[in-house]
Amino acid sequence: MHGGGLLWVAVTAICCAHAVLGLVPTYDPVANNASVIPSGDNVRFTVLTSQLIRCEYSATGSFVDTATLAFVNRKLTTPTYSATTDATYLTIDTGDLVLKYTKGTGSFTSSNLQITVRNVGVSSVTWNPSLEPTNNLLGTVRTLDGVDGATNLYCPSMTSSEQSDSHCTLGLVSRDGWVLVDDTSNAQLDTQSWPWFTTVPATADTCNLDVGDKIDCNPDNWGEQEQCEAMGCCYAPLASGIPWCYFPRDKTTSQDWYFFGHGHNYIKALADFSLVAGSHPLLPRYIYGPQYSRWYAYNEEDERLLLEQGFVEHKIPLDVLVLDMDWHTLWNHMTTGCVTYNSWTGFTWNTNLFPDPTRFISWLHSNGLHVTLNNHPDEGVQCIEATYSEMANFWGIDPATKATVPYVIQNQDWSAAFFDIVMEPIQNNGVDYWWVDYQQGEDLKAPSVNPTWWVNYVFTSNPSWWSDTTRPMLMARWGGLGNHRFGQIGFSGDTTTSWDSLAFQPYFTATASNVGGFVWSHDTGGFEGQPDEDLFTRWIQWSAFSPTLRVHCNGKDGFYRDIWLYPYDSFKVMREAFQLRAALVPYISSAAYDLLSGVGLLRPMYYYWPENNEAYTYTNEYMFGSSMLVSPVIKAMDSNGLVSMDIWLPSGTWVEWYSGRIYSGPTTIARQFLQNEIPIYVKAGAVIPMLDFESMPLLGSAQTVPETLVLNVFPGGSVGTTYSSSYYDDDGISTDAYMHDSWAKTTIDVRTDSTSIALAINPYTGNAFTAMPKYRSYTVKFRGVWPPTTVLLNTASIPYNNIDGNGWTYQGSTLTAVVYIRVPVSTTTKTTLKLTFTQSLQSTLLQGEFTRQLNVLQQCKDAFDAMWPAYYPDDYPTLLVAGQIGLNMTVASAYSDMSRFSSLLSTAKSEVTALSDSTSKTICNAKLSMS
């Protein structure tokens, strides 16, 4: 069962999202000889890249050339460098770094080792081992369980036990310009087909441990002394409760450091980390669609009604159904007869709730949905399980005793049997992936092997489950550096329902990218508590622009996350966020290709603008992919239904998603937002690929390969400049995309001139894949433009309002020209569009907040209508006209309508002022006057 291990899928695929993807050889932990510079018998340096140097000291002269949990590949192309020695120093100069070591002085100290980092901003810095990482940009921790608001991410300020329990991982990027990763005590991996951690051979000296330091190597003493010593462990039978078989202590005196000297080139630091630590694999595409979860004892009928009467009836898209722990048997009040029993752990379907699991999951799959099961495996295999007897016999336990088979995931034989005997029958019911949800904490499974990291590895590398062609995936808590290789979705735990918790999540999620924690899944709405409509709406809007959108809560206490149970106005806004998220999957899954080169979906602003102080201080902002800047609303609205925020926009031209207003950066803007608005700013010139919500399936759309794409074009960039955007297609499920070039990359070029826009959909590059459409239809939306006078598809003119074939129309309410390429065009040849206009595209009439103002006018009308008979429509006739000017706008009237809109708006404001005082009037005035 140990053949063809997935580790070499999970840790071999390294490529750059903007370079040529392709088959990559297996990682090699042994560096090129040309990269290694020894200094005497006890010190060696390895130049891995021009900005990454490994520094090793060994008292015995024995160095580590095997993979560790964090670093698996040191055989990189040797960069250009010089190494010179004189009577006192060894000096290594890579061009980016200058390392100086005092020869023959032993282990590294502040007096014998220094490294100068050139190009830190506009200067250079010199590091030595005594410096504290005070300007580190931080990383992440294991969980946010029970946290209400922010938590500490600065590992050096923690006690050793706090660091161990939290698996705190300091960032790989720093404003200091350097980061030191100490890999000295990290466990090493062997070279089996299913690699396992290695142990230090036991000796009398290394077995001399205090009782409190003994880590059980062989629970229940299976096989006793022979098995114990075969695992390299210490055997010393003592009193009950004290491990008889325990791991020896590693007493090697050594230092193994990785020095990252990248200055403020943070993206390069993460790329170099991916080279030596392995890349984050692509995840199945369906994970980026909306997900539903709730801790509640649903049965099959409940789940079917939830989908049919909840999601489908209310037109809410969904891609993943999460079954929390009640899918398995829970013996809470009934006597089990087991020697020990804990209902949190279970591996047998509760057939009272799900009589035929295969039937149910097949039904979900037939509707396009995927399913994950929650599990807490740490209590072992208990006597009530369907597979108990077989697993007990394997582990040498007489099933008649009903003694629990202990959880020994650190033992390879046990792990292989556990997956083959216990887990595989459940997997064969059609389970797509697992949610491992128990709190591993600081209870080490072996010296330097934290249990969270190891569980995440074993669950995603077991060769009897995963093939070289299947993308591995697991939802679980963060385990530490190197955890990123295993397709892990970071489960942030049972968060508290509060504005403070929401406010911390955008920063926490983007910051985790600094250590490869790219894909997090939060309990949207919080786990404990019932969020009011304002909080839940904003939480869903944030989640729509996070790595995953998964609602979840403690349903056992009566809490729910069914958005259709909220007041209708808020429900509509939440549904819009669900629909927007589902439609954005092509953009999101394309951005996910950057995971392969070390860049997450959420990117701190300082990745791209490291010399701007605002990039560090506006911690709620991030880039969502490469084209969208997002600053989620994280505080309650005021009595007028508005939220005030300051937003920093970097250099460049930015288009506000909901209003259409154009901004030139760098600038800081003071804005107020309506409940249905998310602060999103798109780079001018960008093209955002989306699914067509009208034609995509409501359930399971994320996994589909679309036959029709919507291209949202945001003009507004420099006149005469061509802007390029790209999106990726692949099968969404296999590793072929990044292992065998089975992907298709389509680049779209946009050029805006004074009175024309030219767009080119170029032939895709890459080897494609079986399901890649040879022909595709497009709906191309040009935002913030006039109605065109002509539209050319390739060289042929296409007509206005043609509903049967290719044609175009104009949406006055959003100032959008919509071109329908209904007759599919080849994906292997270039397709061009050219729109010409009478009026200038740089007109200030197009750069304001027309769309937002129409929205406000309609909201005012709705509020005033509800005041009848205090107000009548003839009290605000101009407001009615102005509010529908976009709807009534024609191709011929667009310019004159826009020219007179400002005057109409002013008159409408006067009409509102003249109304008798009321709360509705106050709110309307505030919205009409908002910044």
Side-chain angles (χ1 to χ4, degrees):
M1 301 311 300
H2 300 162
L6 177 73
L7 177 66
W8 304 117
V9 174
V11 301
T12 57
I14 178 73
C15 48
C16 178
H18 299 300
V20 176
L21 305 177
L23 184 63
V24 179
T26 302
Y27 286 153
D28 188 342
V30 182
N32 286 319
N33 286 334
S35 300
V36 179
I37 305 102
S39 181
D41 295 330
N42 304 104
V43 171
R44 72 174 183 180
F45 300 98
T46 306
V47 182
L48 295 165
T49 75
S50 67
Q51 294 170 290
L52 175 57
I53 297 178
R54 186 187 188 195
C55 308
E56 295 174 276
Y57 164 77
S58 171
T60 64
S62 176
F63 298 101
V64 174
D65 283 322
T66 56
T68 68
L69 300 190
F71 296 100
V72 296
N73 185 50
R74 306 183 189 99
K75 199 176 194 68
L76 307 179
T77 301
T78 302
T80 300
Y81 71 90
S82 65
T84 58
T85 60
D86 58 25
T88 306
Y89 300 110
L90 164 66
T91 302
I92 301 171
D93 189 338
T94 70
D96 292 307
L97 306 177
V98 179
L99 179 149
K100 182 179 264 191
Y101 172 69
T102 305
K103 297 189 302 180
T105 54
S107 61
F108 305 132
T109 68
S110 59
S111 62
N112 69 3
L113 178 66
Q114 67 175 38
I115 302 177
T116 298
V117 183
R118 298 186 173 116
N119 303 318
V120 181
V122 295
S123 61
S124 62
V125 299
T126 298
W127 166 89
N128 70 69
S130 69
L131 296 181
E132 293 292 328
T134 52
N135 288 308
N136 189 280
L137 291 167
L138 308 181
T140 197
V141 291
R142 174 170 57 91
T143 183
L144 296 178
D145 281 286
V147 174
D148 187 359
T151 193
N152 181 21
L153 300 179
Y154 186 58
C155 311
S157 69
M158 298 179 180
T159 66
S160 59
S161 62
E162 288 172 337
Q163 287 192 41
S164 176
D165 182 67
S166 69
H167 309 329
C168 186
T169 310
L170 207 58
L172 297 164
V173 295
S174 173
R175 295 191 80 175
D176 292 323
W178 58 267
V179 169
L180 185 73
V181 176
D182 187 349
D183 202 45
T184 304
S185 299
N186 212 348
Q188 299 170 37
L189 295 169
D190 62 26
T191 57
Q192 297 181 74
S193 57
W194 188 14
W196 213 253
F197 64 83
T198 61
T199 58
V200 178
T203 66
D205 183 38
T206 59
C207 289
N208 184 21
L209 275 70
D210 293 335
V211 169
D213 293 332
K214 292 182 177 180
I215 301 172
D216 202 338
C217 181
N218 187 15
D220 285 3
N221 301 306
W222 175 60
E224 300 226 4
Q225 184 171 357
E226 180 181 358
Q227 174 66 18
C228 176
E229 294 177 347
M231 294 189 292
C233 294
C234 307
Y235 184 72
L238 294 171
S240 176
I242 300 174
W244 288 21
C245 182
Y246 55 92
F247 289 96
R249 172 183 288 135
D250 184 354
K251 290 192 173 183
T252 302
T253 303
S254 63
Q255 292 167 304
D256 191 354
W257 296 350
Y258 288 78
F259 183 84
F260 289 74
H262 292 79
H264 294 163
N265 192 344
Y266 305 134
I267 290 178
K268 180 61 163 56
L270 295 168
D272 280 359
F273 175 70
S274 291
L275 290 175
V276 293
S279 65
H280 193 299
L282 294 180
L283 298 179
R285 188 165 55 242
Y286 62 77
I287 203 64
Y288 298 120
Q291 306 173 37
Y292 180 86
S293 176
R294 186 176 181 229
W295 184 30
Y296 190 77
Y298 289 109
N299 63 16
E300 180 175 349
E301 181 69 11
D302 293 330
E303 299 285 14
R304 287 175 179 257
L305 291 175
L306 173 78
L307 295 172
E308 293 167 349
Q309 298 180 7
F311 285 89
V312 174
E313 184 175 312
H314 293 95
K315 297 184 179 180
I316 304 166
L318 189 70
D319 286 278
V320 176
L321 182 66
V322 182
L323 300 186
D324 211 324
M325 58 180 288
D326 288 275
W327 69 268
H328 66 70
T329 52
L330 298 168
W331 293 55
N332 290 314
H333 292 157
M334 297 178 65
T335 301
T336 66
C338 301
V339 174
T340 59
Y341 178 72
N342 188 314
S343 63
W344 285 91
T345 295
F347 306 102
T348 303
W349 282 94
N350 185 339
T351 52
N352 292 324
L353 298 179
F354 299 96
D356 187 341
T358 300
R359 177 191 65 193
F360 174 55
I361 295 179
S362 295
W363 179 79
L364 293 175
H365 287 167
S366 70
N367 282 280
L369 294 173
H370 291 78
V371 63
T372 180
L373 304 185
N374 172 286
N375 212 329
H376 307 74
D378 61 310
E379 294 297 330
V381 184
Q382 302 170 111
C383 79
I384 64 164
E385 304 299 348
T387 53
Y388 168 73
S389 293
E390 187 177 356
M391 190 66 189
N393 284 325
F394 169 80
W395 199 243
I397 294 174
D398 182 357
T401 66
K402 296 190 176 182
T404 296
V405 180
Y407 182 67
V408 197
I409 202 163
Q410 67 268 34
N411 181 285
Q412 192 170 28
D413 292 328
W414 184 95
S415 296
F418 171 70
F419 284 102
D420 288 349
I421 296 170
V422 179
M423 300 296 283
E424 188 167 355
I426 311 169
Q427 189 87 345
N428 289 341
N429 293 131
V431 177
D432 294 294
Y433 67 100
W434 286 89
W435 169 16
V436 177
D437 186 22
Y438 83 97
Q439 288 284 19
Q440 293 91 342
E442 61 182 343
D443 185 16
L444 298 178
K445 294 298 179 187
S448 303
V449 180
N450 90 57
T452 316
W453 196 103
W454 194 249
V455 168
N456 295 348
Y457 165 63
V458 173
F459 264 79
T460 53
S461 64
N462 172 35
S464 67
W465 268 20
W466 303 99
S467 71
D468 286 355
T469 61
T470 304
R471 298 183 190 183
M473 188 166 64
L474 175 78
M475 186 161 77
R477 291 169 175 83
W478 171 256
L481 210 59
N483 199 132
H484 68 286
R485 289 195 300 272
F486 310 121
Q488 184 239 358
I489 303 167
F491 170 53
S492 63
D494 299 342
T495 51
T496 302
T497 299
S498 70
W499 282 103
D500 287 340
S501 291
L502 170 60
F504 184 60
Q505 286 187 5
Y507 168 74
F508 173 85
T509 308
T511 301
S513 296
N514 293 341
V515 290
F518 298 139
V519 183
W520 281 86
S521 185
H522 302 290
D523 290 355
T524 298
F527 180 72
E528 293 286 357
Q530 187 64 39
D532 63 31
E533 56 188 292
D534 187 19
L535 175 56
F536 195 35
T537 299
R538 294 306 188 184
W539 216 316
I540 286 176
Q541 290 175 335
W542 137 243
S543 294
F545 287 88
S546 75
T548 62
L549 192 173
R550 178 183 57 84
V551 296
H552 184 60
C553 67
N554 179 0
K556 297 295 183 78
D557 287 339
F559 305 128
Y560 59 87
R561 298 293 181 264
D562 306 338
I563 66 173
W564 53 88
L565 299 180
Y566 277 82
Y568 185 68
D569 285 346
S570 294
F571 157 71
K572 286 193 301 181
V573 176
M574 289 187 261
R575 181 174 63 181
E576 287 172 5
F578 265 81
Q579 293 173 346
L580 179 57
R581 171 67 186 211
L584 278 169
V585 164
Y587 174 79
I588 295 168
S589 61
S590 295
Y593 264 75
D594 287 340
L595 270 61
L596 298 170
S597 55
V599 179
L601 293 173
L602 272 63
R603 302 156 190 196
M605 300 298 288
Y606 46 76
Y607 281 14
Y608 298 102
W609 296 277
E611 305 310 323
N612 290 90
N613 192 56
E614 295 90 343
Y616 303 90
T617 57
Y618 282 78
T619 56
N620 186 54
E621 295 183 18
Y622 55 87
M623 293 299 295
F624 188 65
S626 60
S627 298
M628 304 176 78
L629 186 160
V630 181
S631 182
V633 175
I634 53 174
K635 58 184 179 180
M637 59 185 174
D638 62 22
S639 59
N640 295 318
L642 301 174
V643 175
S644 299
M645 295 174 60
D646 289 337
I647 293 173
W648 175 68
L649 297 175
S651 58
T653 304
W654 301 88
V655 183
E656 194 171 62
W657 181 280
Y658 284 91
S659 74
R661 183 168 176 174
I662 296 177
Y663 292 92
S664 295
T667 186
T668 300
I669 58 175
R671 295 291 277 162
Q672 292 175 295
F673 295 96
L674 302 163
Q675 187 190 43
N676 68 326
E677 294 179 322
I678 308 169
I680 305 166
Y681 299 85
V682 183
K683 287 182 177 178
V687 177
I688 307 297
M690 297 173 63
L691 296 177
D692 180 7
F693 187 77
E694 297 302 320
S695 64
M696 74 184 198
L698 198 62
L699 303 180
S701 63
Q703 192 59 31
T704 61
V705 179
E707 298 288 339
T708 299
L709 268 181
V710 175
L711 303 179
N712 281 277
V713 183
F714 289 82
S718 300
V719 173
T721 300
T722 298
Y723 296 87
S724 297
S725 301
S726 300
Y727 64 86
Y728 285 89
D729 283 295
D730 59 39
D731 64 17
I733 198 71
S734 76
T735 60
D736 288 347
Y738 54 95
M739 293 295 289
H740 301 289
D741 277 354
S742 296
W743 48 270
K745 177 184 177 183
T746 302
T747 299
I748 304 171
D749 298 323
V750 178
R751 175 189 169 105
T752 302
D753 289 301
S754 178
T755 56
S756 67
I757 298 177
L759 178 142
I761 305 171
N762 293 295
Y764 70 75
T765 58
N767 292 334
F769 53 103
T770 302
M772 175 64 192
K774 295 180 180 179
Y775 295 88
R776 178 170 269 164
S777 302
Y778 294 93
T779 299
V780 187
K781 297 183 177 182
F782 295 88
R783 303 276 295 266
V785 300
W786 300 111
T789 53
T790 59
V791 177
L792 296 179
L793 173 59
N794 295 322
T795 57
S797 177
I798 60 176
Y800 175 70
N801 260 359
N802 180 29
I803 62 173
D804 296 322
N806 297 332
W808 67 274
T809 188
Y810 188 72
Q811 298 174 351
S813 296
T814 58
L815 304 180
T816 300
V818 184
V819 180
Y820 296 99
I821 306 178
R822 296 189 178 98
V823 179
V825 293
S826 172
T827 55
T828 59
T829 59
K830 179 185 284 190
T831 297
T832 63
L833 282 173
K834 185 171 183 179
L835 283 66
T836 56
F837 307 88
T838 300
Q839 307 295 333
S840 171
L841 293 172
Q842 287 71 50
S843 169
T844 56
L845 294 175
L846 296 174
Q847 297 179 11
E849 301 188 28
F850 178 70
T851 299
R852 168 187 252 202
Q853 289 160 340
L854 294 186
N855 183 13
V856 169
L857 290 168
Q858 186 62 39
Q859 290 186 21
C860 290
K861 174 196 178 292
D862 292 342
F864 296 159
D865 289 349
M867 294 288 292
W868 184 91
Y871 302 152
Y872 287 93
D874 57 355
D875 292 328
Y876 39 90
T878 309
L879 183 147
L880 300 179
V881 172
Q884 297 188 90
I885 195 169
L887 179 65
N888 296 322
M889 188 179 291
T890 67
V891 171
S893 72
Y895 184 76
S896 61
D897 286 341
M898 290 298 294
S899 297
R900 68 190 179 99
F901 178 72
S902 177
S903 176
L904 288 173
L905 182 63
S906 178
T907 302
K909 289 179 178 180
S910 297
E911 291 173 348
V912 173
T913 301
L915 295 174
S916 59
D917 289 343
S918 68
T919 301
S920 295
K921 173 185 172 179
T922 300
I923 293 173
C924 179
N925 269 325
K927 290 180 177 179
L928 287 171
S929 303
M930 65 182 178
S931 59

